[in-house]
Amino acid sequence: MSLQTNLFINNEYVPSSSGETLTIYSPNDDSVVTDKVQIASEADVDRAVAAAKKAFPSWSATPGVQRAKLMLKFADLLEANAEKLGKLESMCMGQPITLAKGFVAGACATWRYYAGLAGKVAGESYPPEGDGSYKIVSYEPLGVCAGISAWNGTHVLAAWKMAPALAAGNTFVFKSSEKSPLGAAAYGDLIKEAGFPPGVINIVTGAAPTGAVLASHMEIAKIAFTGSAAGGRAVQIAAAKSNMKHVSLELGGKSPALIFDDANLDNAVLHNATGFLRNSGQVCFASSRVLVQEGIAPKFIEAVKKAFDDAAKKMGDPSLADTAFGPLADKKQFERVMGFLTDGKNEGIQIVSGGGRMGDKGTFVQPTVLLNPDVKSRVFTDEIFGPVIAVRTFKTEEEAIAIANDTTYGLGSSVFTSDIPRALRVASKIEAGNVGVNQAYKTSPQTPFGGVKQSGYGREGGYEGLRGYLHAKTITINMEVPST
């Protein structure tokens, strides 16, 4: 398969002005995928932003129906190229090909949802209420916007950022992760084929230094970031120190699953095993802290252990259609996860399934279940971002909620119970932006997604995602000007 490794600026593929490149290694077998991925320099970012700025007046004035037409065409092209785009993602970060193609499908749904909102941003009006002024509130695009993606779901994360921005009339500069740049790099040809004018969408690649240039750029009106808490802080600081640009942050999580005695056992196991292990646990809102009420705990632990052991047998080459679970994204992530497991062993935490490396090549980690770690243990408090869950038991609803909320994060969560009033009561008390009931939380184009506490702020998805790319303008009209 041919690989596109250049930057995409002003509807043209161009090499980096600095000549610097990235090397991508296969997480499956450590082989070199490519050593030619171009790293965007500050000058390259300036060119991309300049192109987006030049395109903004015309794009923001383009009728919504026409913007929607181009967005829908782009979604169709993504769908038609799902096999190729999925393979590119799989090659970079080890997603099983079936899952990677599913992520492309999710991106298509998001582009189509926001195409439906293009040209449908309504304003407000308020009559004089004793002040003699008629008030109009309009919602307008911000200008040039930028997005920085994490490596675990490039196509979905790109859609969450670009689609609402374009629907609202903004232009965009998107930076993919240095760990998984090839899928987004292939967008250029599709962007041109869809008919987007030059400069409306620009794609750059690079690591943290490139992201820092975007976050501090004086001509960018908003930046949306998905990644680590440390990365989010850096983006926020750079934005504040530059032009006070709008910022939205979707950061890490240490999400809880609360499983009550009356829960359907098979369903709870399914969502906390197969559901959790999707993408090898590399999902920011995956529930890695599993809290199980004492009455059901022995059966649950036995069943989830078997499910994790069975999952290990379905782990392998991500390019094969029958592979369910792949390797971790790269050696750095592999070493991070293995470090957590080593710490857990040193603390004497019981490992009831997995706990080690799989094979002598690649970055495969066995699906692992840790039993009853201390609530202050690093494996229970820090985001591992791998196929590892920590299971603890609880006695009462109040205790479960207290443990669930004892974290600096607040992204995802789930509640398993046959008592719907309790499910709603507990959901209202969990400090998280997203709650699944009798299922692992899942996103949808129609609903907002984001976190509280150190999981970030701002929302992607739904109408809230569109509002994040608009600013409100209030116009007041004096209705009592004397006639002449």
Side-chain angles (χ1 to χ4, degrees):
M1 179 191 298
S2 61
L3 304 178
Q4 179 57 255
T5 57
N6 284 321
L7 313 174
F8 185 75
I9 299 174
N10 205 33
N11 271 19
E12 294 183 357
Y13 277 116
V14 294
S16 165
S17 61
S18 69
E20 289 187 88
T21 60
L22 287 168
T23 299
I24 305 298
Y25 295 91
S26 167
N28 180 54
D29 60 11
D30 304 324
S31 62
V32 174
V33 175
T34 178
D35 59 359
K36 295 180 172 57
V37 176
Q38 303 293 298
I39 297 176
S41 67
E42 183 172 357
D44 297 323
V45 172
D46 285 344
R47 292 208 323 271
V49 173
K53 184 177 181 181
K54 182 178 180 181
F56 173 69
S58 176
W59 179 251
S60 61
T62 299
V65 65
Q66 180 62 21
R67 293 202 302 271
K69 181 179 178 180
L70 301 184
M71 293 172 67
L72 290 171
K73 176 64 173 176
F74 184 66
D76 290 344
L77 290 169
L78 289 178
E79 188 171 62
N81 288 273
E83 183 80 25
K84 175 185 176 181
L85 295 171
K87 285 182 179 178
L88 292 171
E89 199 74 1
S90 181
M91 290 163 61
C92 287
M93 57 79 58
Q95 272 181 358
I97 185 61
T98 51
L99 176 61
K101 288 162 60 178
F103 274 42
V104 177
C108 295
T110 295
W111 278 98
R112 288 167 178 149
Y113 171 78
Y114 282 111
L117 291 177
K120 299 181 179 67
V121 177
E124 304 157 21
S125 64
Y126 300 93
E129 289 288 342
D131 61 0
S133 292
Y134 188 85
K135 283 80 67 176
I136 298 172
V137 181
S138 62
Y139 294 91
E140 301 178 353
L142 301 174
V144 178
C145 299
I148 299 175
S149 171
W151 43 264
N152 60 323
T154 302
H155 300 298
V156 168
L157 297 176
W160 282 359
K161 293 166 175 56
M162 289 195 288
L166 267 62
N170 302 282
T171 53
F172 215 87
V173 180
F174 177 75
K175 188 192 88 66
S176 56
S177 168
E178 69 277 15
K179 294 185 181 184
S180 55
L182 297 180
Y187 279 9
D189 290 334
L190 308 184
I191 289 167
K192 291 170 67 175
E193 187 176 349
F196 286 107
V200 172
I201 303 175
N202 305 271
I203 311 290
V204 299
T205 304
T210 304
V213 173
L214 288 168
S216 60
H217 205 286
M218 296 297 291
E219 299 294 336
I220 290 176
K222 173 182 176 171
I223 189 160
F225 174 83
T226 300
S228 69
R233 288 189 186 93
V235 166
Q236 188 176 31
I237 290 169
K241 286 185 175 180
S242 53
N243 62 342
M244 295 289 289
K245 60 177 61 66
H246 296 238
V247 178
S248 63
L249 302 174
E250 194 268 281
L251 309 177
K254 192 68 176 179
S255 302
L258 286 65
I259 305 172
F260 290 90
D261 284 346
D262 62 351
N264 180 294
L265 178 63
D266 291 340
N267 181 64
V269 171
L270 173 68
H271 286 277
N272 287 279
T274 304
F276 170 79
L277 292 171
R278 180 172 176 262
N279 213 22
S280 296
Q282 298 170 119
V283 176
C284 52
F285 55 87
S287 293
S288 56
R289 292 183 299 143
V290 181
L291 312 178
V292 188
Q293 199 161 20
E294 288 181 344
I296 201 175
K299 290 182 178 179
F300 175 85
I301 293 167
E302 180 182 356
V304 82
K305 175 188 182 301
K306 182 180 185 304
F308 270 55
D309 290 342
D310 289 344
K313 301 172 186 176
K314 301 174 185 177
M315 183 174 278
D317 185 341
S319 67
L320 302 178
D322 59 353
T323 295
F325 310 106
L328 299 183
D330 62 5
K331 286 186 176 180
K332 182 178 179 181
Q333 187 61 19
F334 171 80
E335 291 167 358
R336 171 182 169 81
V337 173
M338 291 302 294
F340 274 98
L341 296 181
T342 298
D343 287 351
K345 292 174 184 177
N346 292 338
E347 292 175 29
I349 297 171
Q350 183 181 358
I351 299 175
V352 297
S353 179
R357 175 176 190 154
M358 286 191 62
D360 57 0
K361 286 186 177 181
T363 56
F364 295 89
V365 173
Q366 294 174 321
T368 300
V369 180
L370 306 175
L371 188 58
N372 279 323
D374 187 273
V375 293
K376 300 302 180 184
S377 169
R378 181 168 170 257
V379 301
F380 199 72
T381 60
D382 293 4
E383 185 175 37
I384 298 176
F385 222 61
V388 182
I389 61 170
V391 179
R392 280 191 62 90
T393 59
F394 67 88
K395 296 181 186 300
T396 67
E397 178 181 312
E398 292 72 22
E399 180 189 7
I401 293 170
I403 297 173
N405 290 337
D406 186 18
T407 174
T408 59
Y409 294 111
L411 191 53
S413 59
S414 54
V415 181
F416 294 85
T417 177
S418 61
D419 183 341
I420 295 304
R422 173 161 61 188
L424 295 175
R425 181 173 65 247
V426 172
S428 71
K429 294 180 180 179
I430 292 178
E431 297 168 354
N434 314 280
V435 184
V437 174
N438 290 327
Q439 64 177 6
Y441 177 78
K442 58 183 179 182
T443 61
S444 73
Q446 298 87 2
T447 56
F449 173 78
V452 299
K453 298 192 281 190
Q454 292 187 37
S455 286
Y457 58 84
R459 294 293 183 265
E460 293 182 313
Y463 196 78
E464 281 298 307
L466 184 74
R467 288 179 65 90
Y469 290 95
L470 298 163
H471 70 86
K473 176 181 287 183
T474 301
I475 302 168
T476 61
I477 304 169
N478 185 354
M479 304 296 288
E480 298 179 347
V481 177
S483 59
T484 56

